[in-house]
C-alpha cells in the first residue's frame, strides 16, 4: 500500500480539529496543516492545538511557529525552503513543494526529507496552471532518491498511476477533507 498525505483546508470540512482527529486514526501517514490564509496568530493557535491532537501533523510555511512550539516538522514552498535553510538543521521532517526537476534535485541536495511534485493533474487549487502529467512525475521520481509525493488533482481513482510512475505516495486535499 502506498503512503497518503492529507492537506488541510478548513473551508472543505465542518470542523477541522475533528477532521484532524479522524485523519490521525486513519491510514494517512501525515497531515499538512496548510491553512495559509490564516493570520499568523490564528495559525499559531491552530498549530498548537493540532500538534496536540496528532503527531502526524506537519506545519506549513511557518518556521517561526515551529520554533515557538518546539515542533520540528515543516512543509515549505521551494523558495521559502531555500530562504530558511539555515534554520532547519534540527528538523525531524522537511517537506518541500517543487514544480520542476531542477527544484526537486536542489531540494534533495539541500536536505529535504521528501518533496511534493505538482500539479500532476488538473486541480481547482491551481486552475491557471497546466497539469504536468504522469510522465513528468516519472521523470521527477527518477531524478531524485528522496520520497516523492504526487500532488494536484490526485484522488483514489488516479492515485495508482502516480505510484506506477514511481511516487512514494500521494497528497490529497479534497478527498481527505470530505
Amino acid at each position: 500500500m502506498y503512503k497518503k498525505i492529507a492537506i488541510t483546508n478548513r473551508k472543505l470540512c465542518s470542523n477541522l480539529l475533528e477532521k484532524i482527529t479522524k485523519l490521525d486514526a486513519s491510514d494517512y501517514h501525515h497531515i499538512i496543516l496548510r491553512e495559509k490564509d490564516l493570520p499568523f496568530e490564528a495559525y499559531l493557535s491552530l498549530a498548537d492545538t493540532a500538534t496536540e491532537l496528532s503527531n502526524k501533523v506537519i506545519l506549513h510555511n511557518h518556521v517561526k511557529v515551529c520554533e515557538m512550539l518546539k515542533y520540528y516538522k515543516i512543509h515549505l514552498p521551494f523558495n521559502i525552503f531555500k530562504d530558511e535553510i539555515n534554520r532547519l538543521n534540527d528538523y525531524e521532517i522537511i517537506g518541500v513543494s517543487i514544480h520542476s526537476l531542477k527544484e526537486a534535485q536542489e531540494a534533495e541536495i539541500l536536505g529535504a526529507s521528501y518533496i511534493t511534485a505538482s500539479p500532476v493533474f488538473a486541480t481547482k487549487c491551481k486552475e491557471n496552471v497546466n497539469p504536468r502529467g504522469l510522465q513528468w512525475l516519472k521523470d521527477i521520481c527518477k531524478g531524485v532518491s528522496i520520497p516523492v509525493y504526487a500532488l494536484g488533482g490526485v484522488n483514489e481513482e488516479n492515485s495508482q498511476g502516480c505510484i506506477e510512475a514511481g511516487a512514494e505516495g500521494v497528497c490529497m486535499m479534497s478527498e481527505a477533507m470530505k
Side-chain angles (χ1 to χ4, degrees):
M1 187 64 179
Y2 57 89
K3 295 181 179 178
K4 296 191 298 187
I5 296 177
I7 299 178
T8 69
N9 182 338
R10 69 191 184 286
K11 296 172 184 170
L12 297 178
C13 63
S14 58
N15 184 319
L16 182 57
L17 295 176
E18 278 182 18
K19 181 57 70 174
I20 289 170
T21 300
K22 288 179 182 175
L23 289 168
D24 182 67
S26 76
D27 63 346
Y28 280 88
H29 286 78
H30 297 295
I31 305 162
I32 297 175
L33 189 67
R34 190 164 177 252
E35 309 309 319
K36 60 185 186 178
D37 63 325
L38 282 179
F40 180 83
E41 290 297 327
Y43 186 86
L44 173 62
S45 177
L46 176 62
D48 189 27
T49 303
T51 57
E52 291 293 321
L53 292 174
S54 173
N55 66 358
K56 291 182 179 183
V57 169
I58 297 174
L59 302 183
H60 185 267
N61 257 2
H62 296 286
V63 174
K64 186 174 182 178
V65 170
C66 288
E67 292 170 351
M68 292 171 75
L69 297 178
K70 295 181 177 23
Y71 188 84
Y72 300 105
K73 299 176 186 178
I74 189 87
H75 186 94
L76 298 168
F78 180 74
N79 290 336
I80 294 175
F81 168 66
K82 285 179 45 176
D83 290 345
E84 299 288 359
I85 192 69
N86 293 327
R87 295 171 70 183
L88 304 175
N89 293 331
D90 297 325
Y91 277 65
E92 181 182 337
I93 296 174
I94 304 168
V96 180
S97 299
I98 63 90
H99 302 94
S100 71
L101 179 57
K102 182 180 178 208
E103 288 180 354
Q105 291 170 332
E106 189 172 348
E108 178 176 30
I109 289 167
L110 292 173
S113 307
Y114 71 89
I115 56 174
T116 57
S118 75
V120 177
F121 304 109
T123 176
K124 290 181 181 178
C125 286
K126 298 197 185 230
E127 287 181 311
N128 297 327
V129 179
N130 288 330
R132 292 180 167 92
L134 291 173
Q135 183 59 52
W136 174 82
L137 178 62
K138 187 175 190 175
D139 294 343
I140 297 292
C141 294
K142 284 184 175 181
V144 296
S145 60
I146 58 175
V148 176
Y149 290 84
L151 173 63
V154 178
N155 56 43
E156 293 295 339
E157 289 77 42
N158 62 23
S159 58
Q160 190 58 43
C162 298
I163 303 309
E164 290 168 5
E168 172 93 5
V170 299
C171 299
M172 295 184 202
M173 179 187 288
S174 297
E175 293 230 355
M177 292 294 101
K178 290 180 186 172

